[in-house]
């Protein structure tokens, strides 16, 4: 495997760099991409982030300090993208052209000239933190905000099993640099619109148990969304609900998307492997938190998921 | 103010020590008390924790490794107790006899021979961590579990504004010692009984807004509790619900207790001071999270609270 110093050397030789995020962009892919972009720009390079889908408004602060630069791209870097399909709308345009893939999903299968995958990192942002240090980037408050966002969101604010002592040490450093951890955590974890609140109440009514209570499923539909006037991104953050229930080993959240497909979030407890589960449906992720997309009607998709849960729990 | 080395010296001279917690015991008062107890026992001293009220079953692991010792108490130490009234059922027996008060509430007003109050500490457990180091206690996994519990619960898992870089550094050390942070966080934040889930749904239906949406109030009643077969401790952890709602500056949670009284939890956003608010009702705590108890019927108590909110928000 490449060392971080190799990754640093590759990046230092690059210029006119496009940085790719995964689709349905979350705090880690966005925080990592904008931190890397800020770092590269601070070294005098041209760089920009290429989004796959519009991020939620709550992430707008990640753009603070990012210069809008016009250039013809010479190099392509992906961050926190685990598989080609995760590039979403950018897949066709970019696959085959990625020079460097930086990721923390051990299942990573992105087509790229060089891949740096550190499965020990709780967030891709941890890798970017170490990388920017290696590249001798001066850490600004803006970079610290981006990296803290990635780390905090991917660890459920240091709650999930992927958190390590290193995660906390990095958080301490980012706080000392002056990151707005209060505002970030408030925005990421502690702010609900009234519509979101109503959605949660509605989602509670969809809760069903399977496999003797070991599997719990909730869902949102486009109809529920439009009834409440909610955007796509506002149906996020529900995934932790089913796993929290006592006795549940597999918590499944189904979110209906346009075009007859459901975005599925799987959260597991104990030894049950969410990544294995999602691989059956062409997805992937981490042991305790993974995702996939499944086409079909609500009942069809749920039946397939519950059948898979029954097998996995056997 | 006393230095930590003074506190250490006082404790090292003590023996046959009773350690007092506050009533409605939470993760910080319990984690601090049992960590101190384990530390003192490891130095060959006799020590025991005196609880004020029965803790929730989820805290049972904090007793791991604690020796049950029979002795006549010579010294009394309180931890995380902010005011005499917070001793609850132990107030009459112990006030006037406390030799050392260790706390992190700047509003501390406990009657004690010596008081060590560090308002910068996110949790009393941070003080105990530093104190046990000062006392050259050998940190076991059991002590680490207790201290992590105190820190994690009092900071909302590193989310709240009281978290500091030091908090993260201590967490990193406790993880390196081998604390079961996954199990602890799972038990503290990510486990809901089905009855608790039903309670949350019921509580959502009690939600009302006041002061142009800047104040939100939810409540539980004894009737709701008994309908769902929930113990007193299972009505905890609701306090974050009203503050999370967009636009809310004061989130109030009212929990009916036996004897015509309500336990009130107040959580605030921005500049609004929860401690100031609760002091009006004889309570106290921190700027963003405080508590008090108010006697009366549901409607009476709510009216008084909303009237106070109106004044504070003026």
């Amino acid at each position: 495997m490449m060392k971080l110093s190799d990754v640093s050397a590759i990046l230092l030789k690059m210029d006119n760099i496009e940085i790719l995020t995964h689709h349905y962009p979350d705090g880690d892919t966005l925080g990592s991409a904008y931190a890397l972009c800020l770092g590269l720009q601070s070294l005098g390079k041209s760089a920009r982030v290429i989004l796959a889908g519009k991020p939620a408004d709550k992430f707008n602060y990640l753009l603070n300090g990012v210069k809008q630069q016009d250039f013809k791209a010479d190099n392509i870097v992906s961050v926190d993208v685990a598989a080609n399909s995760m590039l979403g709308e950018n897949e066709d345009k970019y696959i085959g052209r990625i020079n460097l893939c930086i990721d923390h999903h051990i299942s990573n299968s992105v087509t790229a000239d060089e891949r740096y995958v550190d499965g020990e990192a709780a967030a891709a942002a941890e890798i970017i933190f170490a990388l920017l240090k290696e590249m001798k980037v001066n850490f600004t408050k803006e970079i610290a905000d981006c990296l803290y966002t990635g780390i905090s969101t991917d660890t459920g604010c240091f709650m999930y099993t992927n958190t390590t002592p290193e995660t906390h040490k990095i958080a301490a450093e980012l706080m000392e640099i002056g990151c707005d951890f209060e505002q970030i955590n408030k925005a990421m974890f502690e702010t609900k619109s009234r519509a979101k609140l109503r959605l949660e109440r509605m989602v509670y009514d969809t809760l069903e148990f399977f496999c003797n209570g070991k599997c719990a499923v909730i869902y949102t539909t486009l109809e529920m969304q439009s009834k409440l006037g909610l955007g796509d991104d506002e149906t996020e953050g529900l995934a932790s609900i089913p796993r929290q229930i006592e006795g549940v080993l597999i918590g499944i959240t189904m979110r209906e998307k346009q075009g007859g497909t459901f975005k599925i979030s799987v959260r597991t407890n104990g030894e049950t492997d969410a990544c294995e589960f999602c691989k059956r449906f062409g997805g992937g992720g981490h042991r305790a938190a993974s995702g996939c997309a499944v086409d079909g009607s609500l009942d069809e998709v749920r039946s397939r998921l519950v059948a898979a849960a029954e097998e996995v729990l056997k």
Side-chain angles (χ1 to χ4, degrees), chain A residues 288-306:
Chain A
S290 287
C292 56
V294 184
D295 295 341
S297 73
L298 175 65
D299 286 342
E300 283 163 14
V301 173
R302 185 167 47 186
S303 292
R304 289 182 61 194
L305 293 167
V306 170

Side-chain angles (χ1 to χ4, degrees), chain A residues 191-248:
Chain A
T191 306
K192 272 179 202 168
S193 65
R194 291 200 194 184
K196 178 73 181 284
L197 202 75
R198 286 193 292 270
L199 178 72
E200 281 194 9
R201 286 170 69 170
M202 224 182 246
V203 160
Y204 276 132
D205 291 331
T206 73
L207 175 67
E208 274 195 78
F209 294 97
F210 302 93
C211 311
N212 291 320
K214 287 182 191 144
C215 173
V217 182
I218 58 172
Y219 62 82
T220 65
T221 61
L222 293 173
E223 195 191 334
M224 287 160 68
Q225 239 177 280
S226 80
K227 206 172 185 174
L228 296 170
L230 284 168
D232 240 30
D233 48 275
E234 286 177 287
T235 62
E236 270 170 37
L238 302 168
S240 62
I241 292 175
R243 179 178 56 182
Q244 284 182 349
I245 305 161
E246 225 166 12
V248 169

